[in-house]
Amino acid sequence: MMRAASAAALALILAQPACASDQPPTTDTQHGMVRIVTVAEGLEHPWGMAFLPDGRALVTERPGRLRIVGADGKPGAPLEGVPAVSATGQGGLLDVQLDPDFAKNRFVYLSYAEPREGGNGTAVARGTLTERGLAGVQVIFRQDVTIDGRHHFGSRLVFDRKGRLFVTLGDRNSERARAQTLDSHIGKVVRIERDGKVPADNPFVGRADAKPEIWSYGHRNMQGAALHPVTGELWTNEHGPRGGDELNRTLAGLNYGWPKVTYGVEYSGKTISESPTAPGIEPPVHYWVPSIATSGMLFYTGSQFPKWNGNAFVGGLASQQLSRLEMDGNTVVREEVLLKGVLNQRVRDVEQGPDGYIYLLTDEDNGKLVRLEPAS
């Protein structure tokens, strides 16, 4: 589901790159030259973005700030009402998503590393966007295990076509074995109603040995998620260890293997699994060895890049790239690596603007919001 916005408003507001040079850099692709336009910079480790109906962009910064990138391309002052975050390691303020009925209710959803006694855990909060910030903020979901740690929080937010919210949750690194059990939220995708209640048609509802919020399990650390534009199914990408980043068609009730099977190895080089596949485990649609450090995901459906229609795009952190994946149904038939050696920044999020351009967030101390445009 594309985040709500007016294409005309976005074109007017973000048409002029506030911080770019007179001649933005270009890069060649299999389908022509692409221009890389800097829309905004000066963001501290931005993580997620969502376009508002007036064309402005809501952007999260991992230290705990939610800002609006305005007409001048400059990030506004931090908005009020954002929950306190545990900004340690990979934790902090993470994804942002608008309610499917945002035009009526103005609900904004945030995922973040929540500080707790004895550690932290991934949580989701919802508030009403006002001129000053978020009002009436309520926590609607909490990962049920508190860890004194800095790693593997997840967490992307995606609404399905029924208006239910998917939340991707990491294994917190130290609790990887629990990704294979159904008694916790560790290493899972969960699916909840907009107020946090459990949908009656979730796959494990009614099982005494399972958390009813769980949608799928056996995940390591999913930092990209999107709905397939044709089927409406959830797809996710997740970090492997050393090698074994995955793209998954993430279906109800299925086991995606971690840490029982993986295409990767420990950072020390030690073997994790003798085989990357096993009976009863859903194999990835695509995987990367070596790892590219996947984050952010988009199925392109716009008109600005007609030859890319239906392609999946996955950001790369350590690899500082954008992967374009050509699809034939549910199969990846070709991968093109974009921006490597050109952008030279970690790609954290990938979104399609309502103007049909592709927008990226770069995860750096001086992070940027950039736009990809056809150069012709």
Side-chain angles (χ1 to χ4, degrees):
M1 181 179 297
M2 186 164 66
R3 303 179 188 219
S6 161
L10 185 68
L12 288 172
I13 288 174
L14 298 183
Q16 297 300 321
C19 307
S21 65
D22 292 336
Q23 294 183 337
T26 60
T27 185
D28 198 11
T29 78
Q30 292 175 1
H31 296 299
M33 297 293 292
V34 171
R35 181 184 299 113
I36 306 165
V37 178
T38 299
V39 175
E41 56 187 356
L43 298 161
E44 185 177 358
H45 293 286
W47 213 93
M49 60 178 153
F51 290 108
L52 294 168
D54 62 8
R56 295 177 297 167
L58 270 176
V59 176
T60 62
E61 293 176 296
R62 206 170 68 231
R65 294 181 290 271
L66 178 65
R67 299 183 187 272
I68 295 178
V69 176
D72 56 2
K74 294 181 180 179
L79 298 178
E80 298 177 0
V82 174
V85 305
S86 178
T88 178
Q90 298 170 358
L93 185 60
L94 303 174
D95 208 9
V96 58
Q97 179 65 280
L98 304 185
D99 192 278
D101 295 319
F102 177 82
K104 297 179 180 179
N105 59 34
R106 297 190 66 79
F107 283 151
V108 172
Y109 298 76
L110 299 172
S111 66
Y112 59 102
E114 179 185 52
R116 305 174 185 172
E117 183 177 353
N120 48 43
T122 303
V124 178
R126 181 179 76 173
T128 303
L129 185 64
T130 70
E131 291 183 0
R132 301 181 63 179
L134 299 180
V137 175
Q138 294 182 321
V139 178
I140 62 168
F141 173 81
R142 287 184 167 98
Q143 193 174 29
D144 64 337
V145 179
T146 297
I147 303 294
D148 183 11
R150 299 161 49 88
H151 301 99
H152 300 188
F153 295 90
S155 61
R156 289 293 170 191
L157 302 176
V158 176
F159 281 101
D160 69 12
R161 291 178 176 174
K162 295 180 180 179
R164 276 68 178 268
L165 181 62
F166 290 114
V167 186
T168 71
L169 301 168
D171 70 350
R172 298 308 315 278
N173 194 36
S174 62
E175 295 290 321
R176 61 168 63 174
R178 300 187 71 173
Q180 282 295 311
T181 66
L182 298 173
D183 60 353
S184 81
H185 299 141
I186 294 293
K188 309 298 193 299
V189 174
V190 298
R191 179 176 178 255
I192 56 175
E193 301 284 3
R194 297 184 225 183
D195 60 2
K197 294 178 181 177
V198 178
D201 58 350
N202 272 8
F204 298 108
V205 167
R207 279 186 51 169
D209 63 339
K211 294 284 183 179
E213 300 86 3
I214 294 174
W215 177 259
S216 61
Y217 63 110
H219 301 286
R220 186 171 182 266
N221 191 24
M222 296 162 286
Q223 293 187 340
L227 288 191
H228 193 285
V230 176
T231 65
E233 295 170 345
L234 178 69
W235 287 54
T236 60
N237 64 61
E238 66 183 85
H239 293 264
R242 185 177 168 187
D245 293 356
E246 294 182 359
L247 173 68
N248 286 305
R249 180 180 172 218
T250 312
L251 304 180
L254 296 188
N255 180 358
Y256 289 84
W258 177 256
K260 186 176 181 181
V261 298
T262 176
Y263 283 88
V265 298
E266 300 284 10
Y267 293 109
S268 66
K270 182 180 177 181
T271 298
I272 297 174
S273 63
E274 296 297 331
S275 171
T277 61
I281 289 178
E282 190 73 5
V285 173
H286 187 73
Y287 63 92
W288 289 266
V289 177
S291 294
I292 66 170
T294 54
S295 187
M297 186 175 173
L298 160 70
F299 282 103
Y300 185 73
T301 59
S303 59
Q304 300 290 355
F305 301 98
K307 292 184 178 180
W308 289 355
N309 205 272
N311 291 182
F313 289 81
V314 173
L317 293 166
S319 58
Q320 299 184 343
Q321 71 182 55
L322 181 66
S323 284
R324 182 180 68 87
L325 304 173
E326 293 185 16
M327 309 294 297
D328 181 4
N330 295 320
T331 302
V332 174
V333 295
R334 186 178 294 105
E335 178 177 9
E336 181 182 16
V337 176
L338 307 176
L339 307 182
K340 196 172 183 70
V342 179
L343 185 62
N344 295 319
Q345 295 219 354
R346 293 157 50 87
V347 178
R348 172 62 73 180
D349 198 13
V350 186
E351 297 291 343
Q352 179 179 315
D355 52 9
Y357 294 122
I358 295 174
Y359 289 81
L360 311 176
L361 286 178
T362 68
D363 184 3
E364 307 285 343
D365 290 334
N366 177 26
K368 297 179 180 180
L369 171 61
V370 304
R371 180 176 62 239
L372 304 186
E373 307 173 350
S376 59

